[in-house]
Amino acid sequence: MKRNFTFIALFLCAIITAQNSTDVLRYSSENLQGTARFQGMSGAFGALGGDLSALNVNPAGTSVFNTNQATISGSYYDRSNTINYGGTSSGAYSGYVDINQAGGVLVFKSSSPDTAWSKIAVAINYDVVEDFDNEIVASGNTSEGIDKYFLNFANGVPFGDILLRDGEFLEDAYLDIGEAQGFKDQQAFLGYFGGIIDPVSEDNDNTSYLSNASYSNVNQQFSRFTSGYNSKFTFNVASQYRDILHIGGSLNFHNISYTRFDKFSESNYNADSEIQRTTFDNRLFSEGSGFSLNVGAIAKVSDMVRLGASYQSPTWYRITDNLQQRISSDLADQDINFINFDLVNVFPTYSIKTPAKLTGSLALIFGKSGLLSLDYGYQDMSQAILGKKNSSEFSDTNTFIANDLGGVSTFRLGGEYRIERVSLRAGYRFESSPFNDGSTIGDLESVSGGVGYDFGSSRLDFALNRTERNVAEFLFDTGLNTPAAVNAVRTNATLSYTMRF
């Protein structure tokens, strides 16, 4: 009698579904987050400072503060996706509320008029630099069935390597093959006992497989639900030299939590096909931590002009993935339901090194009336590394990154106009595609606006920003080569409260 249980398998090889260039891009991106003032001006704070989220751009900015302050921010996130796949258009919408920023700064001023270093500021800040909550629903007719996925893994795998041993349960074999032989053999096993593929011959040495599905076009229904965050806890120290220079540095501690649940079904095979329906679901959970540092400076050229420059080091992540799968079809083994989400594949911890980033900034200060600020940032995504450099484990992925990814340019323009206690803000952000072809992930454009009211000892700020980007979302990492075309629109409404003390 078989029983349901949980088992953890340690995989000894790289896996295409859990670790690839998509992970590098996911953890390298930093969507516009932070305080409402920061968001209202599209994050153009590199030569300004004076805002806790500005630490993400230039760590010298904390020494611009004149008083001790603490800020907390909450956002409403609206996600709207328009998806085109297989000739069919659909939409997916979601919304939620979260605390996305909290921090404070202490300012220590020198009591000696002869001291050149007139001020030191120490700050700590928590920011959600990227949230992963999203939903994609795609449906349509294509000429590429799920059998292509399993055939890509199975061809080349000896048939005898994926057969059950005497007295072995199906669920035990699924995990044992993954542990001893790797992900490729495990997916071949899943395709065979799921009824999707068969060997050309039942000889143990056979390495060729064929599909049990007959079709010219199939109907596919696909849903992808993701959740989680990439957060950053920052410890910062900055100092002011006379009235002309601010310098600072930050240590950043990153934390990652990411969940992806893919639900897939396929139908509309030919009438004489041995298979008439297939379902294949996957759930991936990733968690990890990382470290980076920032250094920067802001120079006061004149009463009107300020210049800023900053360097953000690579971020070094350590990440662990686990994966759960389930499959069903007309021809599946009668015990296929024992392979389900109770069985957890845990993969060895791996590393990601995201590229360094340089930012140059210019700000114009119009007395107490307002300001205008411009930031330009550059990050070369082709320098990202999955795993150890020159390691054969992820050599194919790192070759792809080096050849297909390129430099990302970011422009941020923001302005603020003050009317007594009221501040009006607006901003624009452009970020180029990380892909050389510009199509897999398109350029990003964002507009923002906001308002703030200063009560004297405290301030209340509100911001609204809208970001749009086109993304080619692949249902699987191999086999199905036609992506869903996604127009992704993100709208954040953020409220911040700042207290001076």
Side-chain angles (χ1 to χ4, degrees):
M1 181 177 179
K2 294 185 172 63
R3 58 188 176 89
N4 209 355
F5 66 98
T6 300
F7 190 90
I8 296 179
L10 298 177
F11 282 68
L12 303 178
C13 64
I15 55 166
I16 193 169
T17 55
Q19 299 148 14
N20 53 37
S21 60
T22 303
D23 298 272
V24 174
L25 291 171
R26 181 188 307 120
Y27 304 132
S28 297
S29 65
E30 294 191 357
N31 189 37
L32 183 62
Q33 302 282 328
T35 69
R37 185 173 182 235
F38 183 82
Q39 293 195 49
M41 293 174 55
S42 289
F45 273 81
L48 291 174
D51 185 277
L52 282 165
S53 292
L55 301 181
N56 294 321
V57 182
N58 191 334
T62 46
S63 61
V64 175
F65 285 104
N66 287 315
T67 60
N68 303 331
Q69 295 188 21
T71 302
I72 186 169
S73 306
S75 291
Y76 171 75
Y77 300 90
D78 179 86
R79 302 291 179 263
S80 175
N81 295 312
T82 302
I83 304 105
N84 287 286
Y85 181 71
T88 303
S89 180
S90 58
Y93 312 92
S94 60
Y96 59 97
V97 176
D98 198 6
I99 300 296
N100 65 285
Q101 180 275 329
V105 58
L106 297 176
V107 181
F108 303 93
K109 297 181 179 179
S110 173
S111 58
S112 172
D114 299 326
T115 302
W117 296 97
S118 58
K119 189 194 309 179
I120 294 177
V122 178
I124 57 172
N125 190 58
Y126 167 85
D127 255 319
V128 176
V129 296
E130 184 67 88
D131 61 276
F132 302 130
D133 289 47
N134 201 16
E135 179 179 339
I136 294 171
V137 178
S139 62
N141 293 303
T142 78
S143 60
E144 295 176 321
I146 192 62
D147 57 327
K148 307 290 187 187
Y149 170 89
F150 291 106
L151 288 172
N152 277 9
F153 284 112
N155 283 314
V157 175
F159 180 54
D161 289 357
I162 62 172
L163 293 177
L164 295 179
R165 306 305 182 214
D166 289 342
E168 189 176 33
F169 291 150
L170 196 69
E171 59 270 32
D172 291 341
Y174 166 77
L175 291 171
D176 290 344
I177 288 174
E179 180 180 11
Q181 299 166 216
F183 187 77
K184 177 180 173 67
D185 287 26
Q186 187 194 52
Q187 297 308 285
F189 170 92
L190 201 61
Y192 172 65
F193 284 97
I196 312 301
I197 60 174
D198 269 330
V200 171
S201 73
E202 295 191 358
D203 185 283
N204 283 350
D205 295 327
N206 171 81
T207 58
S208 298
Y209 296 80
L210 50 79
S211 172
N212 288 325
S214 173
Y215 59 88
S216 55
N217 283 282
V218 288
N219 180 265
Q220 295 170 340
Q221 305 284 332
F222 177 82
S223 300
R224 172 166 289 166
F225 305 93
T226 59
S227 61
Y229 56 85
N230 183 355
S231 65
K232 179 162 64 177
F233 180 84
T234 298
F235 175 76
N236 167 269
V237 177
S239 183
Q240 179 178 337
Y241 179 78
R242 301 193 186 279
D243 193 33
I244 58 173
L245 181 66
H246 303 266
I247 61 172
S250 297
L251 301 178
N252 307 305
F253 303 91
H254 303 253
N255 189 47
I256 288 172
S257 177
Y258 175 74
T259 301
R260 186 184 73 202
F261 174 42
D262 291 347
K263 189 174 179 61
F264 176 86
S265 65
E266 189 173 86
S267 59
N268 197 37
Y269 299 99
N270 292 342
D272 59 351
S273 174
E274 294 185 83
I275 295 179
Q276 291 298 317
R277 62 165 184 84
T278 302
T279 63
F280 183 41
D281 303 332
N282 290 263
R283 183 163 63 190
L284 173 71
F285 175 69
S286 304
E287 60 181 354
S289 59
F291 172 78
S292 66
L293 57 89
N294 297 34
V295 292
I298 298 174
K300 184 178 179 182
V301 179
S302 67
D303 289 340
M304 183 178 182
V305 180
R306 291 182 185 177
L307 297 176
S310 63
Y311 167 81
Q312 178 178 310
S313 78
T315 302
W316 295 271
Y317 288 107
R318 297 281 291 172
I319 302 171
T320 300
D321 294 340
N322 69 58
L323 178 70
Q324 298 136 297
Q325 298 181 292
R326 61 190 180 196
I327 190 171
S328 179
S329 76
D330 304 84
L331 292 179
D333 187 278
Q334 63 179 356
D335 291 332
I336 198 65
N337 289 334
F338 285 97
I339 298 177
N340 54 41
F341 282 0
D342 289 329
L343 306 180
V344 182
N345 303 311
V346 178
F347 303 103
T349 299
Y350 62 99
S351 62
I352 290 178
K353 178 185 175 183
T354 67
K357 185 175 184 178
L358 294 170
T359 302
S361 309
L362 168 68
L364 302 177
I365 313 297
F366 305 103
K368 295 183 178 181
S369 299
L371 55 87
L372 190 65
S373 181
L374 173 67
D375 290 351
Y376 170 73
Y378 182 80
Q379 186 177 31
D380 186 359
M381 289 306 305
S382 70
Q383 299 300 308
I385 298 174
L386 178 61
K388 295 181 179 179
K389 189 175 182 180
N390 300 323
S391 170
S392 61
E393 186 179 15
F394 299 104
S395 59
D396 289 346
T397 297
N398 286 325
T399 298
F400 174 86
I401 289 172
N403 294 337
D404 288 55
L405 302 186
V408 174
S409 293
T410 302
F411 298 89
R412 293 182 176 183
L413 177 65
E416 181 178 62
Y417 181 69
R418 303 187 186 98
I419 308 172
E420 296 182 350
R421 292 182 178 268
V422 178
S423 296
L424 303 176
R425 306 179 184 110
Y428 171 78
R429 177 168 66 119
F430 172 86
E431 183 179 297
S432 63
S433 169
F435 281 85
N436 290 326
D437 63 11
S439 59
T440 306
I441 295 178
D443 297 336
L444 178 148
E445 286 194 88
S446 175
V447 292
S448 62
V451 61
Y453 188 84
D454 195 329
F455 297 96
S457 60
S458 63
R459 192 177 76 237
L460 192 65
D461 297 294
F462 174 79
L464 191 68
N465 77 74
R466 181 185 186 275
T467 300
E468 184 172 2
R469 177 171 241 167
N470 292 322
V471 178
E473 191 82 25
F474 288 88
L475 278 58
F476 295 91
D477 293 320
T478 185
L480 281 68
N481 298 314
T482 303
V486 181
N487 175 250
V489 176
R490 294 183 169 191
T491 304
N492 295 358
T494 301
L495 186 67
S496 295
Y497 178 71
T498 299
M499 179 178 63
R500 303 183 181 95
F501 56 94

Short mmCIF file of all heavy atoms in Angstrom, two decimals, residues 48 116 146 151 168 199 258 274 284 296 336 344-345 353-354 457 478 487:
data_model
loop_
_atom_site.label_atom_id
_atom_site.label_comp_id
_atom_site.label_asym_id
_atom_site.label_seq_id
_atom_site.Cartn_x
_atom_site.Cartn_y
_atom_site.Cartn_z
N LEU A 48 20.73 65.53 -4.79
CA LEU A 48 19.90 66.25 -3.82
C LEU A 48 20.06 65.73 -2.41
O LEU A 48 20.35 66.48 -1.48
CB LEU A 48 18.42 66.15 -4.22
CG LEU A 48 17.99 66.90 -5.48
CD1 LEU A 48 16.53 66.58 -5.80
CD2 LEU A 48 18.18 68.39 -5.29
N ALA A 116 36.36 71.72 9.87
CA ALA A 116 35.97 71.69 8.46
C ALA A 116 34.82 70.71 8.22
O ALA A 116 33.93 70.96 7.40
CB ALA A 116 37.17 71.30 7.60
N ILE A 146 3.13 20.51 -25.06
CA ILE A 146 3.97 20.25 -23.91
C ILE A 146 4.87 19.04 -24.14
O ILE A 146 5.90 18.86 -23.46
CB ILE A 146 3.10 20.05 -22.64
CG1 ILE A 146 3.95 20.06 -21.38
CG2 ILE A 146 2.29 18.76 -22.74
CD1 ILE A 146 4.68 21.36 -21.13
N LEU A 151 10.30 15.94 -24.57
CA LEU A 151 11.20 15.35 -25.56
C LEU A 151 12.58 16.00 -25.51
O LEU A 151 13.60 15.34 -25.69
CB LEU A 151 10.60 15.48 -26.96
CG LEU A 151 9.41 14.57 -27.27
CD1 LEU A 151 8.78 14.94 -28.62
CD2 LEU A 151 9.85 13.10 -27.28
N GLU A 168 9.87 -0.62 -6.22
CA GLU A 168 10.02 0.82 -6.02
C GLU A 168 8.71 1.54 -6.32
O GLU A 168 8.04 1.28 -7.31
CB GLU A 168 11.13 1.35 -6.94
CG GLU A 168 11.51 2.80 -6.67
CD GLU A 168 12.68 3.25 -7.54
OE1 GLU A 168 12.79 2.76 -8.68
OE2 GLU A 168 13.48 4.08 -7.07
N PRO A 199 9.45 5.57 -25.37
CA PRO A 199 10.71 5.29 -26.07
C PRO A 199 10.43 4.73 -27.46
O PRO A 199 9.41 4.09 -27.70
CB PRO A 199 11.37 4.25 -25.17
CG PRO A 199 10.23 3.55 -24.51
CD PRO A 199 9.20 4.62 -24.27
N TYR A 258 10.77 34.58 -3.05
CA TYR A 258 10.09 34.54 -4.35
C TYR A 258 9.36 33.21 -4.52
O TYR A 258 9.93 32.14 -4.29
CB TYR A 258 11.12 34.70 -5.48
CG TYR A 258 10.55 34.56 -6.87
CD1 TYR A 258 9.76 35.56 -7.44
CD2 TYR A 258 10.80 33.40 -7.62
CE1 TYR A 258 9.24 35.43 -8.72
CE2 TYR A 258 10.30 33.27 -8.91
CZ TYR A 258 9.51 34.28 -9.45
OH TYR A 258 9.01 34.14 -10.72
N GLU A 274 -3.67 9.58 -28.99
CA GLU A 274 -3.78 8.75 -27.80
C GLU A 274 -4.05 9.60 -26.56
O GLU A 274 -4.59 9.11 -25.57
CB GLU A 274 -2.48 7.95 -27.61
CG GLU A 274 -2.21 6.92 -28.68
CD GLU A 274 -0.99 6.10 -28.36
OE1 GLU A 274 -1.11 5.12 -27.59
OE2 GLU A 274 0.10 6.45 -28.85
N LEU A 284 7.65 26.88 -7.73
CA LEU A 284 9.04 27.17 -7.38
C LEU A 284 9.08 28.16 -6.23
O LEU A 284 8.37 29.17 -6.23
CB LEU A 284 9.78 27.77 -8.59
CG LEU A 284 11.19 28.29 -8.36
CD1 LEU A 284 12.16 27.15 -8.12
CD2 LEU A 284 11.65 29.15 -9.55
N GLY A 296 29.43 57.54 -2.47
CA GLY A 296 29.04 58.65 -3.33
C GLY A 296 29.44 60.00 -2.76
O GLY A 296 29.90 60.11 -1.61
N ILE A 336 0.18 8.12 -10.85
CA ILE A 336 0.84 9.42 -11.12
C ILE A 336 0.47 10.47 -10.08
O ILE A 336 1.24 11.41 -9.84
CB ILE A 336 0.50 9.92 -12.55
CG1 ILE A 336 1.50 10.98 -12.99
CG2 ILE A 336 -0.93 10.46 -12.61
CD1 ILE A 336 2.91 10.49 -13.15
N VAL A 344 9.09 17.52 -2.44
CA VAL A 344 9.85 18.77 -2.58
C VAL A 344 11.27 18.47 -3.05
O VAL A 344 12.00 17.72 -2.41
CB VAL A 344 9.89 19.54 -1.24
CG1 VAL A 344 10.64 20.85 -1.41
CG2 VAL A 344 8.48 19.78 -0.71
N ASN A 345 11.65 19.06 -4.17
CA ASN A 345 13.02 18.98 -4.67
C ASN A 345 13.79 20.21 -4.19
O ASN A 345 13.45 21.33 -4.56
CB ASN A 345 13.04 18.97 -6.20
CG ASN A 345 12.22 17.84 -6.77
OD1 ASN A 345 12.35 16.70 -6.35
ND2 ASN A 345 11.35 18.14 -7.73
N LYS A 353 25.89 37.07 -8.97
CA LYS A 353 26.57 38.35 -8.83
C LYS A 353 25.98 39.31 -9.86
O LYS A 353 26.13 39.13 -11.06
CB LYS A 353 28.08 38.21 -9.07
CG LYS A 353 28.84 39.52 -8.99
CD LYS A 353 30.31 39.33 -9.36
CE LYS A 353 31.07 40.64 -9.42
NZ LYS A 353 32.47 40.46 -9.85
N THR A 354 25.26 40.32 -9.37
CA THR A 354 24.68 41.31 -10.28
C THR A 354 25.73 42.39 -10.57
O THR A 354 26.65 42.60 -9.78
CB THR A 354 23.43 41.96 -9.67
OG1 THR A 354 23.79 42.75 -8.53
CG2 THR A 354 22.43 40.88 -9.23
N SER A 457 6.95 70.25 12.39
CA SER A 457 7.67 69.17 13.04
C SER A 457 7.43 67.82 12.37
O SER A 457 8.02 66.82 12.76
CB SER A 457 7.25 69.06 14.52
OG SER A 457 5.86 68.81 14.62
N THR A 478 12.13 25.56 -21.97
CA THR A 478 12.57 24.79 -23.13
C THR A 478 11.36 24.14 -23.79
O THR A 478 10.34 23.90 -23.13
CB THR A 478 13.60 23.72 -22.73
OG1 THR A 478 14.09 23.07 -23.89
CG2 THR A 478 12.99 22.68 -21.81
N ASN A 487 1.86 43.17 -21.95
CA ASN A 487 1.99 44.61 -21.69
C ASN A 487 1.71 44.81 -20.21
O ASN A 487 0.58 44.68 -19.75
CB ASN A 487 1.02 45.41 -22.54
CG ASN A 487 1.05 46.89 -22.21
OD1 ASN A 487 0.11 47.43 -21.65
ND2 ASN A 487 2.14 47.56 -22.53
#
